[in-house]
Amino acid sequence: MEQSNKSILLVDGMALLFRAFYATAVSNYFMINSKGIPTNGIHGFVKHLFTAIEHFNPSHVVCCWDMGSKTFRTEEFSEYKANRAEAPIELVPQFDLVKDVVDSFDIPNIGLKGYEADDCIGTLAREYSVDHKVIILTGDQDIFQLINQNVSVAIVRKGFGNYDLYNPERLLEEKGITPAQMIDLKALMGDPSDNYPGVKGIGEKTAIKLLLEFGTIEGILDNLSKLTKSQQKKIEDSLEMLHLSHRLARIHCEVPIECSLDQAEYKVNKERALSTFRELEFKGLDRLLG
């Protein structure tokens, strides 16, 4: 089948919003407008969004969002992400407003209660990448598990327009493992930011070594006798948590959401976008619209 010339940019909205908010919040610069609404996170988000669109030149753009903190993962493990602090008061009003802003650019907002943005991104990436190239814009390496020959991940670095682009070859070269093994890696070493422990006492280095030798968690469990006594004990003591961590780490790619390519086609209405900038009292973003 001939490769399509379409390319879809899937944006992890919350990752960009949080990054933009905290970049200026450290100096208490919240950009409170004349209506008393803080807009620093949205301003930075918009800058990130249009900078990425200019850089990657996609034909289609979709923005995915978390829809509250309760998901199927918190139902399975109540401690999941329980270490996260409440959102700062200046960020709270920006959660809904940023979606209105994205909507004014005619870019679809996709999210579903009970699932994380990652799950929506995974579902759409799987669907679109059958025939098209997909780039996922995020700050989160958890998404590496979605990489394939048609799906690459752009990790946003400090500043604007700085991206680390990962495809299967880059991931293998840098981490030594495949996208599918990223799930096993997280299950073994746990994830402090998501607040699940994996196997206590096994870090990234040991986890990668075991995966290189035995391929998967199943492979490791089938060959427990070949591990050191210390490794055996650690895994046997954490067996239940290992399986739970594996379920928590896997991005769910069958979320019941829909977003046709027609809906996602990137064709921003410049006048409508400029009107949004005026309403929010944004300065210096007009040039990003080209």
Side-chain angles (χ1 to χ4, degrees):
M1 186 185 289
E2 201 174 307
Q3 180 64 46
S4 141
N5 59 2
K6 292 187 176 76
S7 65
I8 298 103
L9 184 68
L10 293 178
V11 179
D12 181 347
M14 220 54 110
L16 293 198
L17 182 68
F18 271 90
R19 174 177 287 268
F21 176 83
Y22 285 109
T24 50
V26 287
S27 53
N28 287 328
Y29 182 59
F30 297 114
M31 291 178 66
I32 294 168
N33 66 16
S34 61
K35 300 182 190 81
I37 301 167
T39 58
N40 64 319
I42 299 170
H43 185 277
F45 169 91
V46 169
K47 204 171 162 188
H48 274 302
L49 178 67
F50 283 118
T51 303
I53 288 170
E54 187 183 10
H55 184 91
F56 294 109
N57 193 26
S59 54
H60 297 71
V61 182
V62 180
C63 209
C64 294
W65 301 95
D66 294 327
M67 302 295 282
S69 56
K70 295 263 185 291
T71 67
F72 71 93
R73 291 181 183 87
T74 53
E75 279 176 29
E76 184 152 19
F77 182 54
S78 61
E79 293 303 300
Y80 183 74
K81 291 191 177 180
N83 55 341
R84 303 274 174 108
E86 287 285 306
I89 195 161
E90 295 88 357
L91 180 56
V92 174
Q94 300 188 58
F95 286 139
D96 287 334
L97 190 52
V98 72
K99 292 181 194 132
D100 294 341
V101 170
V102 169
D103 188 55
S104 79
F105 305 144
D106 294 314
I107 293 172
N109 287 304
I110 300 292
L112 189 65
K113 277 190 165 50
Y115 297 95
E116 294 179 46
D118 285 3
D119 302 310
C120 296
I121 289 169
T123 301
L124 294 177
R126 178 176 283 186
E127 180 190 330
Y128 296 151
S129 66
V130 173
D131 296 315
H132 313 294
K133 290 287 183 193
V134 174
I135 295 170
I136 299 169
L137 185 69
T138 183
D140 189 354
Q141 296 193 3
D142 293 356
I143 293 260
F144 284 169
Q145 64 183 268
L146 299 176
I147 291 172
N148 62 38
Q149 288 305 330
N150 273 356
V151 177
S152 47
V153 171
I155 298 285
V156 182
R157 294 300 180 205
K158 203 171 178 184
F160 291 90
N162 300 317
Y163 311 105
D164 246 350
L165 197 62
Y166 284 84
N167 56 18
E169 293 73 29
R170 168 94 194 269
L171 184 67
L172 194 61
E173 182 190 325
E174 198 166 293
K175 296 260 189 204
I177 56 176
T178 64
Q181 286 176 312
M182 284 297 298
I183 306 167
D184 292 331
L185 176 63
K186 278 194 71 180
L188 283 162
M189 61 184 271
D191 186 335
S193 72
D194 286 344
N195 204 40
Y196 59 87
V199 175
K200 207 172 172 188
I202 288 193
E204 184 173 21
K205 209 170 156 187
T206 304
I208 288 176
K209 187 171 172 287
L210 292 173
L211 288 171
L212 288 179
E213 195 168 349
F214 303 110
T216 61
I217 283 171
E218 288 73 26
I220 294 167
L221 295 177
D222 288 344
N223 290 280
L224 269 184
S225 59
K226 295 180 184 166
L227 273 51
T228 66
K229 287 280 183 282
S230 163
Q231 288 168 350
Q232 282 181 47
K233 184 169 183 351
K234 284 170 184 168
I235 288 173
E236 282 165 352
D237 287 352
S238 299
L239 208 50
E240 205 174 315
M241 183 50 76
L242 174 62
H243 289 304
L244 173 62
S245 296
H246 193 268
R247 292 195 296 277
L248 296 174
R250 181 184 290 282
I251 290 173
H252 183 87
C253 295
E254 291 91 30
V255 180
I257 50 168
E258 277 181 18
C259 183
S260 72
L261 281 180
D262 286 348
Q263 287 171 278
E265 189 180 350
Y266 180 65
K267 45 181 193 306
V268 70
N269 179 321
K270 200 169 171 182
E271 282 314 307
R272 193 174 169 212
L274 288 172
S275 163
T276 298
F277 293 168
R278 281 194 296 274
E279 202 179 313
L280 291 169
E281 299 163 28
F282 284 168
K283 304 273 193 300
L285 292 183
D286 300 15
R287 59 181 178 76
L288 290 172
L289 295 172

